[in-house]
Amino acid sequence: SSPAASALLPDVAELTGRESELAALAEVAERARAGATSLVVVHGPPGAGKTALAVRAAYRLASWFADGCFFFNLRGMDVRPVHPSEVVHRMLLALGVAEKEVPGSEAERSDLYRSRLRERSTLLVLDNASDEAQVRPLLATGAGSLVVVTSRLVLGGLEAGARLGLDVLDPGESFDLLGAIAGRARVGAEPVAAARVAKLCGHLPLALRIAGNRLASRPKWTIGHLAGQLVDERRRLSALTAGDLRVRTAFEMSYRQLGEGAAVLFRRLSLAPGGDFGPDLAAVLADVDRFAAEETLEELVDMSLLDTAEVPGRYVFHDLIRVFAGERLADEEPAPAVGAARRRMVDWLLGTADAAAGFFGPDARTAPAGGLGGPEEADAWLAAETANWLGALRWAGGAGLHAEVLRVATAMHWYSDQRGRGETWAEVFTAGVAAARAVGSVRDEAVQLNFLTWTLAVLSRRHADALALHEEAWRAAVAAGDVTEQGWALHYRSVSELRTGRLEEAQVSARRAQELFRVAGFPLGEQISLSCLALVLDALERYEDSVVVHRELVDNVRSGRLAVAPVMAAEMTATLLVRTADTLVRLARWPEVLAAADDALELLRGAPAPPSLCDARYLRGLALHRLGDAAGARVELGLAAGLAGENRHGRLVAVLGALADVHDDLGDPVAAGRCRDRVAALGSADR
């Protein structure tokens, strides 16, 4: 069919959340009116509202262009997109050229098209473009003209004066759009359900319009009922249908444009467990090399079927497009092929996680493994892929791959000591306990119970739960006849007793743990239980004794007697120096606090561990302040506050309090007040 010219589509009644984009278009139009012909490309995923934005802008701006506003649907996603020559023909008719005067050859028509537009001020909307080649012949415009092109593709080959990438709406805008269509009173009466519907729509304007229309056409439905329909991923896209509006159809139009390789990768990416992924995971799923995967990922981004994640080099699905990809996978690939792709991905994720964790701990590997060159690469991979390898671990547990789960959970222990969230490690080690029980290994059960006890005691501060779990760990270690695991069980008991103020009991448990490690011939265990004893001495206000023990511990590590890998030795020494400095603060020995903190920071530059790094900067800041360097203290405490905020460190309140005091001394009461306001807000959040 021929495109309609000089006739805009009806304006959308509700265009929520696009005021900044409309303002940007108006700004470009102002420049165009001044004589600078401009091209704007509006791109985004299917259903983002590109056409609605262009139409609204055209209605607002049409009067600025004396020679008319022209709208063409280029049908770029159709099997046969509109040919540029058809648009030229129709445009000539709209510009007043009689049919009999329209040249017969394409070249002559193009020449006439350019000459007619050269002296005119027009607004030309080219909607739904398939590619640059379709648009380029239509860009001849006169002085003071504006061309707005919408496309699902980025159209990077066009020299655009401005590009507007449409994203989904934010939750508040989504709520407003639902209310505008379904009725504000109705949405206001069920705000929680409405917010749930908006989230299940992925905040995509087309999906929200359909959901709003379904509600408007079914006045007896509750919003909660619609939310219930959308919860099931298998029904979600079918439920997002209202008359001839279908979310699935919008996605299918883009999907049909993909070549076979891109379609395969698009479908299989729906298997990725995490919210984002990189080229390596994509390569494993598609069974291609990394470079081919990267090229295809970029093709999918250009088609607006994927988006780039906030972390460079990683990619993310829109929620509804991921559901659509999963539908295509189930419908178009045989179950054995899907199962093989998933198993290949799980094996790669768990194998790489196991290899990465091996770069940490007393026996840390030094040679490259799993495609990773060393601890820094391993740390970065484990952090970036947490949601993916953790999802793979869940799937493996459900699929009965207990040995694989146990291997990864065991490997993660030393890495978890300084990195990651408590919730992550609680899940990993809970899975490890279940796997150990499934394979019938009492010793592995004791190991995993000890890991989980440590997580609850140290990371989650669930001391009562940790003490209860200690009893299970102790019984399993005794049943296995493993003296080392018995030592660990008592060590973690002493940690929980210390954290709950049962100091005399903690001292007894620490000494018993030290003795068991000695019997087992495990010097590292002796060192770790002795470090807990040093903390107990500090809590008992035996500060001089605590400093002596801490310095003995530092000497033990630096002497090499513990035979641990360099990266672990560095992190262990840094942690001990921080604890030494902490105790020295109570003795007000500020030069020694500064020296210990400096030593710790020097070590942490080579082996960054966020908790110790935050503590070292905080203690250095305190010492500098007390030694008369308030400006230096402000820098260190500011860095410590940033680290504490990023990593949810328990020291944040103390850091902010110290920073407020420094600001006071530097004559900046406003900054001091901001710090104290944050402290008050944190206190109220805790309550």
Side-chain angles (χ1 to χ4, degrees), residues 74 84 87-88 113 117 124 126 134-141 147:
L74 301 183
V87 178
V88 168
Y113 173 76
L117 285 178
L124 177 60
L126 301 174
Q134 188 189 30
V135 171
R136 213 169 264 122
L138 306 175
L139 296 181
T141 54
V147 182

Side-chain angles (χ1 to χ4, degrees), residues 162-410:
R163 292 182 181 277
L164 297 178
L166 291 196
D167 202 350
V168 297
L169 303 180
D170 68 33
E173 292 165 346
S174 299
F175 191 90
D176 289 345
L177 181 55
L178 269 180
I181 299 171
R184 300 192 193 285
R186 187 175 179 186
V187 168
E190 291 185 76
V192 175
R196 186 159 175 73
V197 166
K199 185 174 182 182
L200 291 167
C201 287
H203 305 291
L204 189 72
L206 174 61
L208 291 162
R209 288 185 187 285
I210 291 171
N213 287 339
R214 278 178 71 80
L215 290 169
S217 63
R218 292 161 176 78
K220 293 181 181 178
W221 275 17
T222 64
I223 299 176
H225 175 74
L226 177 59
Q229 288 189 341
L230 297 176
V231 164
D232 186 347
E233 281 194 1
R234 295 168 298 179
R235 298 179 57 200
R236 189 173 303 164
L237 296 184
S238 297
L240 287 172
T241 301
D244 64 349
L245 287 178
R246 293 178 175 85
V247 168
R248 186 184 284 112
T249 302
F251 298 158
E252 281 173 345
M253 292 172 72
S254 289
Y255 178 67
R256 284 200 301 267
Q257 309 298 311
L258 299 177
E260 179 56 26
V264 167
L265 180 58
F266 173 74
R267 294 191 296 264
R268 292 184 183 176
L269 284 171
S270 65
L271 296 172
D276 64 0
F277 39 82
D280 290 319
L281 189 148
V284 171
L285 281 169
D287 206 12
V288 297
D289 66 55
R290 185 186 197 280
F291 301 106
E294 199 157 21
E295 285 182 12
T296 309
L297 287 166
E298 287 298 321
E299 181 184 340
L300 292 170
V301 170
D302 287 341
M303 288 291 296
S304 295
L305 287 171
L306 274 186
D307 199 359
T308 51
E310 291 190 13
V311 177
R314 296 184 69 79
Y315 302 84
V316 65
F317 266 129
H318 180 274
D319 287 349
L320 292 180
I321 296 179
R322 180 183 55 78
V323 173
F324 173 75
E327 285 188 354
R328 294 296 89 227
L329 183 68
D331 287 350
E332 296 182 31
E333 296 199 36
V338 175
R342 178 184 280 113
R343 182 61 192 267
R344 193 166 57 244
M345 174 189 69
V346 167
D347 287 348
W348 177 76
L349 283 167
L350 296 186
T352 309
D354 181 25
F359 284 100
F360 304 89
D363 300 317
R365 62 167 53 94
T366 53
L372 302 166
E376 287 187 10
E377 285 183 29
D379 191 9
W381 188 92
L382 285 165
E385 300 289 357
T386 296
N388 285 313
W389 66 254
L390 192 56
L393 194 76
R394 288 185 200 119
W395 185 87
L401 304 178
H402 304 303
E404 289 86 341
V405 171
L406 190 56
R407 185 180 69 248
V408 172
T410 303

Side-chain angles (χ1 to χ4, degrees), residues 465-491:
D465 292 339
L467 282 168
L469 201 62
H470 151 76
E471 298 297 338
E472 286 188 58
W474 173 258
R475 285 195 297 271
V478 170
D482 192 308
V483 178
T484 300
E485 291 306 318
Q486 291 169 29
W488 282 120
L490 280 170
H491 168 65

Side-chain angles (χ1 to χ4, degrees), residues 386 389-390 415-430 451-462 611 647-649:
T386 296
W389 66 254
L390 192 56
Y415 176 77
S416 71
D417 191 45
Q418 286 279 354
R419 296 160 181 84
R421 308 273 192 210
E423 311 91 85
T424 299
W425 303 124
E427 181 175 355
V428 168
F429 299 137
T430 297
F451 293 169
L452 185 55
T453 303
W454 170 82
T455 303
L456 296 178
V458 177
L459 298 182
S460 303
R461 298 178 183 175
R462 292 164 52 188
N647 296 283
R648 298 193 290 185
H649 194 302

Side-chain angles (χ1 to χ4, degrees), residues 625-647:
H625 189 200
R626 297 306 174 95
L627 292 170
D629 183 2
R634 177 171 58 189
V635 172
E636 290 294 339
L637 292 170
L639 292 168
L643 287 165
E646 288 169 22
N647 296 283

